[in-house]
């Protein structure tokens, strides 16, 4: 399953839990979600802008987004932590990507992703950001 699909599924689950009042958001949940959403927006902007960047910059932004999710995860417990943990897990393929040539052939298993994989990861992060914005304002 691709990361965009996983993020869509966990986002739908989070939205359903909130809508059904199973997940009662705390002020801390809302604050962390708002900060994480802002951080994601800052690193993965509009598709047109991201796609105009060199691969190395796109990969840097994707890793920054994953770091923002991990930092948010470190500050919460319960359902928001579970949601962010699932999101971070879905985004982990970016940790195995590389954008630079391997001069000596050794890459610690890192691979060069296809251009559509960058787009897929960026779309997943935008979907995650939308969900976090919703959590922040619910």
């Amino acid at each position: 399953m691709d990361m965009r699909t996983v993020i869509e599924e966990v986002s739908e689950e989070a939205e359903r839990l909130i809508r059904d009042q199973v997940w009662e958001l705390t002020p801390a949940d809302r604050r962390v979600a708002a900060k994480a959403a802002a951080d994601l927006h800052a690193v993965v902007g509009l598709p047109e802008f991201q796609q105009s960047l060199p691969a190395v910059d796109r990969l840097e932004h994707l890793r920054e987004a994953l770091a923002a999710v991990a930092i948010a995860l470190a500050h919460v417990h319960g359902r928001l932590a579970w949601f962010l943990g699932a999101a971070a897990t879905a985004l982990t393929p970016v940790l195995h990507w590389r954008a630079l040539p391997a001069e000596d052939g050794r890459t610690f298993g890192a691979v060069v992703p296809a251009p559509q994989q960058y787009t897929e990861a960026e779309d997943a992060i935008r979907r995650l950001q939308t969900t976090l914005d919703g959590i922040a304002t619910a």
Side-chain angles (χ1 to χ4, degrees):
M1 192 176 319
D2 66 39
M3 68 180 80
R4 187 173 22 203
T5 302
V6 173
I7 293 295
E8 182 64 34
E9 287 178 359
V10 298
S11 291
E12 287 175 357
E13 181 179 353
E15 292 161 353
R16 186 174 47 257
L17 290 171
I18 292 166
R19 183 181 56 250
D20 294 347
Q21 298 179 344
V22 173
W23 181 358
E24 294 185 28
L25 296 166
T26 66
D29 288 342
R30 289 185 176 90
R31 276 192 309 277
V32 170
K35 170 85 169 83
D39 291 346
L40 293 178
H41 179 72
V43 295
V44 177
L46 298 173
E48 300 78 23
F49 175 73
Q50 286 300 120
Q51 292 172 4
S52 71
L53 295 173
V56 70
D57 292 335
R58 289 178 82 177
L59 183 53
E60 178 183 331
H61 291 178
L62 290 169
R63 289 177 180 160
E64 286 180 38
L66 180 55
V69 172
I71 289 168
L73 175 59
H75 294 284
V76 293
H77 303 284
R79 292 192 195 279
L80 185 56
W82 304 333
F83 170 69
L84 291 171
T89 300
L91 298 172
T92 58
V94 304
L95 297 175
H96 302 286
W97 293 354
R98 65 180 175 85
L100 300 175
E103 305 293 323
D104 67 359
R106 296 174 187 246
T107 64
F108 299 97
V111 297
V112 176
Q116 67 268 21
Q117 288 177 289
Y118 285 109
T119 301
E120 173 193 317
E122 292 158 353
D123 289 346
I125 289 167
R126 286 186 199 94
R127 175 60 168 111
L128 179 58
Q129 176 201 341
T130 299
T131 304
L132 289 166
D133 278 332
I135 290 170
T137 59

